[in-house]
Amino acid sequence: MGCPDSELSISIVGDRAIRRINRDYLDRDRTTNVISFAMHEGDFSQLNPQMLGDVIICADTAAREAEEGGMPFFARLAFLLLHGILHITGYDHERSGEAEAARMEAREREIFHNLSREGLV
């Protein structure tokens, strides 16, 4: 992703915690599978330039999605981590339109395929 010396905070939480974070920080009172916060945005973005941000993954939701999708739990967790990292590094499928969503999905597929090929997921 072009950030070799960067740091990333990763938290794995349950449904209650992700719902609370989603409500308190994003005004969405519901569970979700992953939330990311980029540190290069906002009032204190220059405090630690090496810090990419935070990725928070909901294990409960990931487990349900893995079961529904017929995939291993670890693979779903890895995909959600990748998704969160892409958000932090500038990809956006929610606010930037269909073209950007397609670009993000293509990048997810490419990286996830490479990780799978290497036996990492």
Side-chain angles (χ1 to χ4, degrees), residues 16-118:
R16 275 195 324 203
I18 200 94
R19 183 176 184 168
R20 185 173 52 251
I21 293 164
N22 206 12
R23 181 190 64 229
D24 294 351
Y25 292 96
L26 301 174
D27 293 321
R28 300 175 186 157
D29 191 10
R30 63 181 182 271
T31 61
T32 189
N33 52 17
V34 62
I35 296 174
S36 58
F37 297 101
M39 290 299 290
H40 63 272
E41 299 173 354
D43 294 338
F44 303 102
S45 60
Q46 299 306 315
L47 286 179
N48 184 354
Q50 283 72 40
M51 184 62 174
L52 285 178
D54 304 304
V55 176
I56 305 161
I57 301 169
C58 181
D60 297 329
T61 301
R64 287 190 300 273
E65 291 174 348
E67 186 174 327
E68 291 167 6
M71 67 181 69
F73 174 66
F74 180 76
R76 187 63 185 155
L77 278 181
F79 182 85
L80 292 172
L81 176 58
L82 170 60
H83 186 86
I85 291 170
L86 286 175
H87 272 296
I88 285 174
T89 57
Y91 289 81
D92 183 8
H93 62 90
E94 295 175 341
R95 294 174 286 207
S96 298
E98 291 181 27
E100 178 64 14
R103 186 172 85 90
M104 183 175 182
E105 289 172 17
R107 187 71 171 132
E108 282 174 335
R109 282 192 304 274
E110 173 192 357
I111 294 171
F112 199 75
H113 172 76
N114 290 339
L115 292 171
S116 297
R117 189 181 65 222
E118 295 294 323

